[in-house]
Amino acid sequence: MSYPFFSLSKSHRVAPIDFVAGGVSIRVEAVPDHGMATIWDADILIWAASQIVEARDGGLRTSRLIAATPYEILTFIGRGTSARDYMRLKASLDRLQSTTVMTSIRHPTEGGRHRFSWINEWQERTDAHGRPDGIELIVPDWFYRAVLDDALVLTIDRAYFDLTGGLDRWLYRLVRKHGGRQRDGWRFDFRHLYLKSGVLSPFKRFSFELRAIIRRQPLPGYRLFLEVESGGRTLLAFEPSPACGQAVNGLVPSGTQGVVLSGTGVSCYREPKPGLMPGQKTENRALNLDSNKDSNFCCTALAGENPTGHPTTAADDARSEAQSNPVNADIASDDVPPNSRSEGKR
């Protein structure tokens, strides 16, 4: 979920993604006709995983072959249902099928590689009169088996589908994967996040957008913070948002005292400009080295070392808070199983 498997831009991308850190290497390639699969296209994979989990939990026979109507898919992932949305759905399926990923993640052999596409194939179904009658797709065997393994499926908040920015969505997936039950949250070096995002924009632009996200606080269930070490290294920190269980007032005056008479200059209910940091904390969090070595290296971000001086493994702990959910299920993509010859039920 936190590695650069998808394009974070809606624009047509053909330039490959190349990522190497520690023992992990990833190369994502696209074809010019369709472009690279985007993080919005990955919503279809979330839907597919949810269907498999729901069928299994309902005592039904599961399969790598999934059939549904475009309406069912589009409404699940929070999209419209117009003809234009239907065409975009088919374009997403084309990108998922044509984009290839070659990675060493979780490969049992030293220096081994696993190449795959996000879906094996898809087709439009038609009725006896040749009219559209739904869509069939076949997910890869590794994906199918990973969905059936509860330890590789994490729940997500349905508000995830409302996130409009690609970087917002990628950050939520990263935060959700690392968050687990850690009360004090996590910390990530800005440059390390830049490398793991796979974006084409320069680091300065990436840093600007990251700071804007910290101001907006769009991630459901988490709060983001900016931390700066004495050496000048900039860090993104996050922690779970406390659930207050109370409704928000319909109208909250911005610092006004009591009743303000009409006719005052400037609106008395104007919201103050949000600061970069939520809350009143003034100290950086302690390093979470044991559970987040991959994102807490010091000074040698490009070399992938943590503050203890030992090389990081670059393998995230995707089993930190493993759950399955028949509605909102997402595969921990960093735990892509090695290539397998076994077939799921058809």
Side-chain angles (χ1 to χ4, degrees):
M1 296 171 72
S2 60
Y3 282 114
F5 287 116
F6 300 98
S7 171
L8 304 187
S9 172
K10 290 184 178 180
S11 59
H12 188 89
R13 173 169 178 170
V14 179
I17 295 175
D18 279 300
F19 173 82
V20 178
V24 172
S25 66
I26 298 172
R27 181 175 175 85
V28 184
E29 298 174 311
V31 297
D33 288 347
H34 302 298
M36 184 176 295
T38 70
I39 200 163
W40 292 272
D41 299 334
D43 290 353
I44 299 175
L45 300 178
I46 298 176
W47 167 82
S50 296
Q51 299 307 297
I52 296 173
V53 171
E54 184 176 11
R56 179 201 63 185
D57 293 347
L60 303 177
R61 183 179 179 181
T62 60
S63 169
R64 293 169 53 207
L65 174 64
I66 305 175
T69 63
Y71 179 84
E72 292 173 327
I73 302 175
L74 290 171
T75 53
F76 181 93
I77 61 179
R79 310 283 175 85
T81 55
S82 66
R84 186 178 182 183
D85 293 309
Y86 180 37
M87 298 301 295
R88 288 176 174 174
L89 174 63
K90 293 195 292 183
S92 294
L93 291 168
D94 282 336
R95 286 189 292 269
L96 290 171
Q97 195 277 325
S98 61
T99 299
T100 61
V101 181
M102 183 171 66
T103 179
S104 62
I105 294 178
R106 293 183 60 83
H107 200 283
T109 337
E110 176 99 18
R113 297 291 183 271
H114 176 206
R115 182 181 289 275
F116 60 88
S117 295
W118 293 111
I119 59 176
N120 282 7
E121 57 184 89
W122 75 275
Q123 66 175 347
E124 289 183 278
R125 296 185 303 174
T126 56
D127 59 19
H129 302 286
R131 291 173 297 196
D133 190 35
I135 288 176
E136 291 181 353
L137 61 91
I138 300 177
V139 298
D141 180 64
W142 67 263
F143 180 90
Y144 174 76
R145 295 194 299 117
V147 171
L148 297 180
D149 184 349
D150 287 345
L152 296 180
V153 176
L154 298 175
T155 58
I156 64 171
D157 194 307
R158 183 162 288 279
Y160 167 81
F161 295 115
D162 297 329
L163 297 176
T164 57
L167 189 55
D168 297 41
R169 284 170 160 250
W170 178 76
L171 272 178
Y172 177 81
R173 293 163 70 96
L174 177 143
V175 166
R176 181 66 189 88
K177 178 176 185 298
H178 283 280
R181 299 183 177 90
Q182 300 298 323
R183 212 174 268 178
D184 296 329
W186 258 254
R187 307 166 74 217
F188 297 91
D189 179 88
F190 265 39
R191 287 201 172 272
H192 187 55
L193 287 175
Y194 175 66
L195 291 177
K196 293 188 75 173
S197 69
V199 297
L200 294 175
S201 59
F203 173 73
K204 185 176 182 180
R205 177 65 186 178
F206 176 84
S207 178
F208 174 82
E209 293 178 352
L210 210 54
R211 290 168 183 266
I213 291 175
I214 296 173
R215 289 189 182 95
R216 290 189 287 110
Q217 296 293 322
L219 305 191
Y222 296 93
R223 292 195 302 171
L224 304 178
F225 302 85
L226 177 70
E227 295 184 356
V228 180
E229 292 184 335
S230 57
R233 193 164 67 113
T234 308
L235 303 172
L236 169 70
F238 72 86
E239 63 184 24
S241 296
C244 63
Q246 299 178 355
V248 178
N249 293 332
L251 182 60
V252 181
S254 55
T256 57
Q257 300 295 327
V259 178
V260 180
L261 299 177
S262 61
T264 57
V266 188
S267 171
C268 61
Y269 291 112
R270 175 175 294 177
E271 181 182 0
K273 184 177 180 181
L276 184 59
M277 290 292 296
Q280 303 297 325
K281 293 186 178 181
T282 58
E283 296 181 354
N284 288 355
R285 291 157 182 73
L287 295 177
N288 40 292
L289 299 179
D290 294 335
S291 54
N292 192 26
K293 297 179 181 179
D294 183 38
S295 300
N296 280 289
F297 47 81
C298 176
C299 305
T300 54
L302 298 181
E305 292 184 356
N306 60 40
T308 62
H310 300 296
T312 60
T313 62
D316 295 321
D317 183 14
R319 301 176 185 266
S320 59
E321 187 187 6
Q323 303 174 30
S324 61
N325 186 300
V327 177
N328 297 329
D330 189 16
I331 290 297
S333 303
D334 301 356
D335 281 303
V336 173
N339 196 10
S340 170
R341 299 291 182 183
S342 63
E343 294 289 331
K345 295 180 181 179
R346 297 296 297 276

